[in-house]
């Protein structure tokens, strides 16, 4: 079983360098959406530094600025002293920077050279710094959004601070006749947290109302993507409960960590998932009795995040009425929305197919085929005969063929017979290995009990509210 590659499911995606990848993802997230505190802090402290490739001099003194809006101390701490200083102490009592500070944010196509010149920083210093053995490798793999915080004396670089990943930072200081570089560790701490969402209009809105990050809700959706079609199944009144980890650094919240356990109550159906790491280090989500939550097919082969913002579960989806009439499911979605392979398989058709327009048909195991119609375009590597993994993008939503508006028409056939893709029983992925079963039950029981306790605690206020209303 392969894992989907959509960001929706990135939690599952194995990565050669998870720390770096996660952190850069976080940074994109922070910069793109300004959501986590980190992102916010960049905006607050260095208002113009978060754009693409913009440079902003933050003129001294920081202290005076801090006194006006003390929140800056909390979230944009002392670029060159990434040590923890209690907020109350830091406020107004922090060290006075001797030099002017500049934050360089790498934008698309930027070079350090250009950024230095634009900001009247010594390019000679840059050349020296970039040659340092501890610095050189990092200079070769800069990505947009990377920042360099530089303290300078009329362009002469005195100190440079650069976050390598969540737990490592690079500090370069001007020594006598040379620059010195050191990599420092920034340990993280994990705290457990809980969240409860109740859907009124959309999954995202319910998450925002409950104070959850988009990241957390996307991870949740990723966990239940095999059981719940987050485009068409969501109903007002659905509830979900999440037990998850938050990552802190120096006492400050950084981002959400893993979801430990979750429950999704969808339209009368209840789904639970518990994270388990086996002795081989493989982490995955299972039901309470050890079945994998993953299945050979995902319910909705479109990136739901592109759709759900417009989706109102109170309104009956006009297309639902026609499911049986035309033996497929239609997902109205903006043109260009990625379409994913519902399961592992082989491309047995790729091209125009009458009223279906641009169509891909996949052959899967168990004599199952899936069909994706009305595409605007095929994915580049979706060639006839090509093997695809579940979650691979095979094309993009469009309205080719007999379609009046952009949508994905999706069909599922078993032994040549159409089955409703939304209700057909799907084969499970492998359950927990027998040799891990007892350990699994022992370890997950308390986690599940905790989730149940939390769920019970959340039920009370609603009952009270209901009593009041009646
Ligand atoms: Zn259709």
């Amino acid at each position: 079983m392969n894992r989907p590659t959509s960001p929706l499911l990135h939690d599952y995606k194995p990565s050669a360098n998870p720390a770096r990848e996660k952190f850069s993802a976080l940074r994109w997230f922070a910069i793109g959406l300004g959501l986590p505190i980190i992102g916010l802090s960049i905006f607050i402290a260095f208002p113009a530094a978060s754009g693409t490739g913009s440079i902003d001099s933050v003129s001294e003194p920081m202290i005076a600025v801090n006194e006006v809006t003390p929140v800056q101390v909390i979230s944009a701490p002392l670029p060159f002293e990434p040590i923890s200083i209690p907020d109350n102490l830091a406020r107004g009592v922090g060290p006075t920077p001797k030099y002017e500070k500049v934050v360089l944010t790498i934008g698309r196509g930027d070079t350090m050279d250009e950024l230095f010149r634009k900001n009247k920083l010594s390019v000679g210093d840059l050349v020296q710094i970039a040659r340092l053995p501890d610095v050189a490798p990092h200079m070769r793999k800069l990505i947009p959004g990377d920042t360099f915080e530089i303290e300078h004396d009329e362009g002469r670089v005195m100190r440079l601070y650069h976050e390598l990943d969540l737990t490592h930072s690079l500090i370069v200081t001007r020594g006598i006749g040379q620059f010195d570089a050191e990599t420092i560790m920034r340990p993280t701490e994990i705290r457990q947290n809980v969240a409860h969402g109740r859907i009124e209009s959309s999954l995202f809105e319910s998450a925002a109302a409950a104070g959850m990050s988009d990241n957390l809700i996307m991870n949740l959706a990723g966990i239940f993507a095999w059981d719940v079609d987050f485009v068409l199944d969501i109903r007002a009144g659905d509830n979900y409960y999440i037990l998850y980890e938050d990552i802190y650094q120096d006492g400050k919240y950084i981002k959400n960590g893993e979801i430990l356990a979750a429950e999704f109550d969808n339209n009368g159906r209840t789904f639970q998932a518990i994270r388990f790491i086996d002795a081989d280090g493989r982490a995955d989500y299972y039901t309470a009795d050890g079945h994998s939550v993953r299945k050979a097919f995902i319910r909705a082969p479109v990136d739901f995040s592109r759709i759900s913002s417009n989706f109102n579960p109170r309104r009956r989806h006009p297309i639902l009425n026609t499911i049986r009439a035309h033996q497929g499911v239609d997902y109205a979605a903006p043109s260009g929305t990625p379409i994913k392979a519902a399961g592992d398989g082989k491309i047995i058709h790729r091209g125009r197919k009458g009223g279906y327009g641009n169509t891909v048909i996949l052959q899967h195991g168990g004599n199952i085929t899936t069909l994706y119609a009305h595409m605007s375009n095929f994915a580049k590597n979706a060639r006839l005969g090509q093997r695809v993994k579940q979650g691979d993008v095979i094309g993009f939503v469009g309205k080719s063929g007999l379609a009046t508006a952009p949508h994905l028409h999706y069909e599922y056939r078993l032994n040549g017979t159409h089955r409703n893709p939304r209700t057909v029983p799907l084969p499970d992925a492998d359950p927990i290995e027998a040799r891990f079963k007892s350990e699994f039950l022992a370890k997950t029981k308390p986690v599940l009990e905790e989730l149940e306790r939390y769920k019970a605690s959340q039920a009370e206020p609603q009952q009270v509210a209901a009593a009041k209303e009646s």
Side-chain angles (χ1 to χ4, degrees):
M1 171 67 57
N2 284 281
R3 289 140 182 212
T5 51
S6 145
L8 193 162
L9 298 160
H10 70 85
D11 203 39
Y12 286 109
K13 197 169 72 177
S15 160
N17 190 352
R20 173 74 183 177
E21 186 171 294
K22 279 189 179 171
F23 189 58
S24 54
L26 170 76
R27 258 182 302 196
W28 275 113
F29 204 61
I31 287 157
L33 303 173
L35 276 176
I37 293 164
I38 269 196
L40 197 59
S41 70
I42 293 169
F43 276 99
I44 293 170
F46 311 112
S50 303
T52 48
S54 66
I55 304 168
D56 186 46
S57 295
V58 176
S59 56
E60 51 180 338
M62 283 293 276
I63 295 307
V65 176
N66 289 340
E67 281 166 0
V68 177
T69 45
V71 69
Q72 290 173 344
V73 177
I74 297 164
S75 50
L78 315 164
F80 304 100
E81 313 272 1
I83 49 168
S84 80
I85 295 172
D87 295 334
N88 57 340
L89 285 181
R91 198 170 298 147
V93 192
T96 307
K98 283 181 241 164
Y99 305 109
E100 211 172 331
K101 282 179 186 171
V102 168
V103 178
L104 310 183
T105 303
I106 307 292
R108 227 167 265 285
D110 281 346
T111 65
M112 285 297 281
D113 200 74
E114 282 169 9
L115 291 179
F116 262 61
R117 278 180 217 282
K118 269 194 227 168
N119 217 40
K120 298 192 171 65
L121 294 168
S122 161
V123 177
D125 285 352
L126 172 65
V127 171
Q128 280 191 49
I129 291 168
R131 276 188 197 145
L132 296 170
D134 286 352
V135 178
H138 304 299
M139 289 295 191
R140 283 196 289 270
K141 48 183 183 185
L142 297 177
I143 57 168
D146 276 355
T147 60
F148 289 82
E149 298 172 14
I150 293 166
E151 212 173 306
H152 67 95
D153 180 12
E154 294 182 353
R156 288 177 78 230
V157 176
M158 305 310 286
R159 284 185 106 181
L160 174 149
Y161 175 78
H162 173 54
E163 285 182 0
L164 299 172
D165 57 36
L166 184 57
T167 52
H168 298 86
S169 291
L170 177 71
I171 294 181
V172 178
T173 47
R174 179 182 285 275
I176 299 162
Q178 61 174 34
F179 285 100
D180 303 312
E182 68 174 321
T183 302
I184 58 161
M185 281 289 293
R186 306 162 64 231
T188 54
E189 176 203 343
I190 286 175
R191 299 183 196 170
Q192 203 163 299
N193 207 343
V194 284
H196 167 215
R198 183 180 169 82
I199 291 172
E200 302 291 342
S201 58
S202 81
L203 184 63
F204 282 108
E205 280 175 35
S206 69
M212 291 174 227
S213 68
D214 280 11
N215 192 21
L216 182 64
I217 203 66
M218 288 298 271
N219 283 342
L220 180 84
I223 291 169
F224 291 111
W226 287 269
D227 285 310
V228 181
D229 177 336
F230 282 96
V231 182
L232 299 178
D233 284 349
I234 297 297
R235 293 291 175 274
D238 284 356
N239 280 284
Y240 53 93
Y241 307 88
I242 314 173
L243 196 64
Y244 66 101
E245 294 176 339
D246 274 335
I247 297 172
Y248 282 75
Q249 198 164 49
D250 299 335
K252 293 174 196 81
Y253 170 79
I254 300 293
K255 63 169 181 171
N256 298 134
E258 304 292 350
I259 291 178
L260 303 175
E263 175 174 318
F264 204 100
D265 299 340
N266 171 235
N267 202 15
R269 308 177 301 167
T270 293
F271 302 100
Q272 283 186 329
I274 305 141
R275 188 170 196 263
F276 178 70
I277 307 170
D278 67 26
D280 299 340
R282 210 180 88 99
D284 213 337
Y285 289 91
Y286 298 90
T287 62
D289 57 359
H291 287 101
S292 176
V293 299
R294 292 185 287 118
K295 296 196 165 53
F297 293 85
I298 44 177
R299 285 290 174 195
V302 274
D303 190 346
F304 90 99
S305 64
R306 291 284 299 273
I307 298 167
S308 54
S309 58
N310 297 322
F311 179 64
N312 179 355
R314 281 191 188 134
R315 188 175 64 96
R316 186 169 169 80
H317 202 283
I319 282 145
L320 282 178
N321 297 326
T322 63
I323 285 172
R324 288 198 173 76
H326 80 319
Q327 301 188 316
V329 181
D330 287 346
Y331 292 94
S335 214
T337 299
I339 298 168
K340 301 180 290 187
D344 292 4
K346 189 177 153 186
I347 298 178
I348 56 168
H349 176 92
R350 176 205 184 273
R352 292 197 78 86
K353 188 175 165 64
Y356 283 124
N358 292 328
T359 300
V360 167
I361 301 177
L362 300 181
Q363 175 73 58
H364 309 279
N367 210 11
I368 292 164
T369 57
T370 53
L371 176 148
Y372 313 77
H374 307 311
M375 291 178 171
S376 57
N377 271 305
F378 303 102
K380 253 187 208 153
N381 52 1
R383 292 183 301 273
L384 190 64
Q386 184 86 19
R387 297 211 159 271
V388 294
K389 312 278 188 211
Q390 184 177 62
D392 282 356
V393 174
I394 50 175
F396 303 92
V397 170
K399 54 174 188 173
S400 58
L402 291 174
T404 50
H407 73 283
L408 166 66
H409 171 92
Y410 173 56
E411 290 181 14
Y412 183 106
R413 283 184 218 197
L414 176 63
N415 299 320
T417 306
H418 284 100
R419 303 291 298 271
N420 184 342
R422 298 189 57 219
T423 54
V424 64
L426 299 174
D428 281 345
D430 293 338
I432 198 89
E433 281 186 53
R435 61 191 172 119
F436 297 134
K437 187 70 182 276
S438 57
E439 187 198 352
F440 169 82
L441 292 174
K443 278 191 176 164
T444 54
K445 193 164 172 266
V447 178
L448 209 56
E449 283 169 358
E450 202 171 335
L451 184 71
E452 291 293 348
R453 269 197 303 278
Y454 174 61
K455 188 183 162 186
S457 78
Q458 293 300 294
E460 281 166 34
Q462 281 169 22
Q463 282 163 5
V464 171
K468 274 179 190 165
E469 279 166 24
S470 61

